[in-house]
Amino acid sequence: MLFDKVLIANRGEIAVRIIRGCQRMGYRTVAVYSEADRDAPHVAMADEAVYIGAAPAQESYLSIDKLIAAAKSSGAGAIHPGYGFLSERAAFAQAVQNAGLVFIGPDPKAIEAMGNKSASKIRMLSAGVPCVPGYQGDDQSDDTLVAQAQKVGLPVMVKAAAGGGGRGMRLVHDSAHLLASIQSARSEASNAFGDGQLLIEKAVLHARHVEIQVFGDRHGNVVHIGERDCSVQRRNQKVVEEAPSPAVDEALRTRMGAAAVAAARAVDYVGAGTVEFMLARDGSFYFLEMNTRLQVEHPVTEIVYDLDLVEWQLRVAQGEALPLTQDAINLRRKGWAIEVRLCTEDPAQNFVPQTGPLLAWQVPQGAGIRIDHGLRQGGLVSPYYDSMQAKLIASGDTREQACRTLLHMLDQTVLLGVTSNRDYLRQIIAHPVFIAGDFSTGFIAEHMSPESFAANRAPTTLHGALAAVLLYRSQALALQVDAALDGELLEWQSSAPAQVPLLLQCGERKLRITVAALGRGTYRVQWDGQTLELDIVSMQAPTLRFKHQGLDAQADYALSDNQVHLSHAGLTLSYTDNTLAPASKDAAGSDGRMLAPMDGKILKVLVQPGDTISKGQTLAVLEAMKMEFAISSGVDSSVTAVTCQVGQQVKARQLLISLTPTNTTQEMPA
């Protein structure tokens, strides 16, 4: 046996997934963890764990030397990279092999050959794999890239040659925006991948993103394991993935599978990989890139083909031949599986990543349900890593059944304390265009924009009333405990029920609500010109059971200080009790302070004391969860002090820049 212990050079849900796969195969496992992940589930699950450094990935999960040292000190004979981090770095695979360890993935030469989109495209053209027309040359000057884009013809995709995940990619329709898009993509690619090389491709509009799972061994066998449809994307990052694709029939599957196998053979590919294609409406398809690792969305393939791809990776790494032939694989395809990526981000605020304590986390169980995650209730969602926290995968005999199961899963999943995209995902899966299966990579832009989502986030009368009662009742319960009162006195009144006014903040909305306790768990709530009566049956966090208009119902909630996070009827909102809080101005910077919107690292500081700035001007750029965010003033101002610097790690609401507003007639909120 080459190895009997595996170190997983990753974290979160993929580390948990690999640990389970290894342990099921009888391998001992070693987890690695940063300072931010000391109490993470993957650390507790592994047989052993090794601390590898501070929270920033560069000091821990991206340190090749520390990972190899951890493997050697723990006696691990192999390293599984998972996905992300170093999984597609040829230098890492080579260093693992040089250390006498087994890299559970392709050979370094294959990673290098396919890791650069320009070089891989040239290789694919030589192998006869259809590719999108474009430019992938060495001359990377702005003038050349602009000229080549105009030669190809707008619209074009400007793409980072290295890396993936949608970073360093820009769709350009207008020549006036071409130069700025090239420069922006290069900057983002340099920051994300340490390589600013770009390529230009003709944009294939109204196409689908369809990828083929491939697998190779060291005995000359290469197979494909069907396709996945990843067309529902935001910022070129996948949101929903499914297998099979609604747009692929058996003949097209055979053609695309053959092209993917040819691509893998062109680089002597070993292990799990994915060949990604753009599928046009006329059935023509074009090579995009090859991911030389296990994909985030691999569970949908595992379900439809009843396979364990991690098991296959381990067998191939041990030198075994592939367990099945192509014909045998084809016969295994059955049913449908759909996966969504559950992320801590705010869709109503242009998907800004969210960090903080996870107050409530519960997931459903049952037939057709699979959830891969690395979360624990009470844990902290940090700013150092990707915002994807879990994957919800539903399956069924038909696509309709898989959709129905996934909607049920989303309804039953409780994630509170940190804003997530759960409600947004539910709206996608329930959308008639998605249900019909006839959509393209433009689905989100056309049907699910952040603006349209935000427009439907107003609290309903019942939702706001529940929030008010929860805050009122939690404060009463706290008073009961502090004063050691008998429970029967909790809502006792010596006269008519007092009308208690509350001022709640929900996003940008201010809610003036009156709550009256009528006794025995009954409350009368008045707001927005309406009166409701609610009977609280039980409050056992995270479940609230109540009666309204003769119906028994329930909601999910979590309380924290003067906040309540509430999910009911597909709507998850957070309310802050500002009844006793002083009034404040709304526009960013109107109070003379520019604060960090989240935990992150300062990438750019674009102003200095004495500068005069205008409303909307970018003052600094913050990086959080692998994304860049511009920090802009909401008012005309002058800069009085800059208290941050490039490279500094800052906390949410930390003071970055002090301003003196030059327009003193800013409107105060009502």
Side-chain angles (χ1 to χ4, degrees), residues 286-340:
Y286 306 96
F287 172 82
L288 287 175
E289 62 180 320
M290 183 175 185
N291 291 301
T292 53
R293 52 169 167 79
L294 198 66
Q295 288 279 83
V296 173
E297 56 272 25
H298 75 274
V300 296
T301 297
E302 292 186 320
I303 291 170
V304 168
Y305 285 87
D306 191 22
L307 299 171
D308 184 333
L309 295 182
V310 172
E311 175 186 336
W312 279 39
Q313 286 186 299
L314 293 166
R315 292 189 182 281
V316 168
Q318 289 280 26
E320 296 182 26
L322 294 178
L324 296 172
T325 65
Q326 187 66 67
D327 289 342
I329 291 169
N330 294 343
L331 291 172
R332 296 175 72 91
R333 182 168 59 86
K334 182 181 179 182
W336 218 282
I338 307 175
E339 170 183 299
V340 292

Side-chain angles (χ1 to χ4, degrees), residues 34-53:
S34 71
E35 185 62 40
D37 283 337
R38 284 188 178 275
D39 298 321
H42 77 279
V43 177
M45 283 186 61
D47 298 297
E48 301 171 28
V50 180
Y51 172 73
I52 55 170

Side-chain angles (χ1 to χ4, degrees), residues 66-336:
K66 289 181 178 179
L67 292 167
I68 292 177
K72 288 190 170 183
S73 66
S74 64
I79 294 181
H80 195 307
Y83 45 68
F85 292 135
L86 295 169
S87 62
E88 292 185 284
R89 300 277 185 90
F92 180 48
Q94 189 63 63
V96 171
Q97 292 183 359
N98 291 346
L101 305 172
V102 175
F103 182 75
I104 303 178
D107 290 330
K109 288 183 178 180
I111 297 176
E112 185 173 9
M114 302 305 281
N116 182 288
K117 292 184 178 67
S118 295
S120 64
K121 186 174 178 181
I122 294 171
R123 188 180 291 266
M124 292 302 99
L125 287 167
S126 299
V129 178
C131 296
V132 180
Y135 172 77
Q136 50 276 338
D138 293 331
D139 187 344
Q140 291 286 299
S141 66
D142 288 349
D143 290 343
T144 296
L145 292 175
V146 168
Q148 289 293 332
Q150 292 172 337
K151 180 180 178 180
V152 170
L154 299 177
V156 297
M157 287 294 300
V158 179
K159 300 172 67 174
R167 297 176 183 86
M169 296 179 67
R170 302 290 187 274
L171 173 61
V172 186
H173 290 274
D174 189 343
S175 59
H177 300 144
L178 187 54
L179 178 59
S181 296
I182 288 170
Q183 293 173 341
S184 174
R186 181 185 292 118
S187 172
E188 189 170 84
S190 296
N191 287 328
F193 315 120
D195 185 347
Q197 184 181 358
L198 303 175
L199 68 152
I200 305 293
E201 288 183 345
K202 179 69 177 177
V204 182
L205 301 179
H206 308 297
R208 300 181 83 113
H209 185 123
V210 177
E211 62 189 29
I212 305 293
Q213 176 72 58
V214 295
F215 229 104
D217 62 23
R218 297 194 180 280
H219 301 271
N221 301 306
V222 181
V223 298
H224 71 85
I225 313 177
E227 83 283 357
R228 298 185 286 258
D229 197 310
C230 308
S231 301
V232 179
Q233 302 179 1
R234 179 187 60 78
R235 294 175 181 161
N236 299 302
Q237 291 181 303
K238 301 164 187 174
V239 178
V240 182
E241 300 106 348
E242 60 181 303
S245 168
V248 175
D249 58 21
E250 197 60 48
L252 181 55
R253 181 174 298 114
T254 299
R255 289 167 49 215
M256 296 184 75
V261 169
R265 287 193 182 279
V267 292
D268 299 323
Y269 199 80
V270 174
T274 301
V275 183
E276 304 197 354
F277 294 101
M278 193 65 74
L279 175 63
R281 296 192 72 87
D282 63 2
S284 57
F285 56 91
Y286 306 96
F287 172 82
L288 287 175
E289 62 180 320
M290 183 175 185
N291 291 301
T292 53
R293 52 169 167 79
L294 198 66
Q295 288 279 83
V296 173
E297 56 272 25
H298 75 274
V300 296
T301 297
E302 292 186 320
I303 291 170
V304 168
Y305 285 87
D306 191 22
L307 299 171
D308 184 333
L309 295 182
V310 172
E311 175 186 336
W312 279 39
Q313 286 186 299
L314 293 166
R315 292 189 182 281
V316 168
Q318 289 280 26
E320 296 182 26
L322 294 178
L324 296 172
T325 65
Q326 187 66 67
D327 289 342
I329 291 169
N330 294 343
L331 291 172
R332 296 175 72 91
R333 182 168 59 86
K334 182 181 179 182
W336 218 282

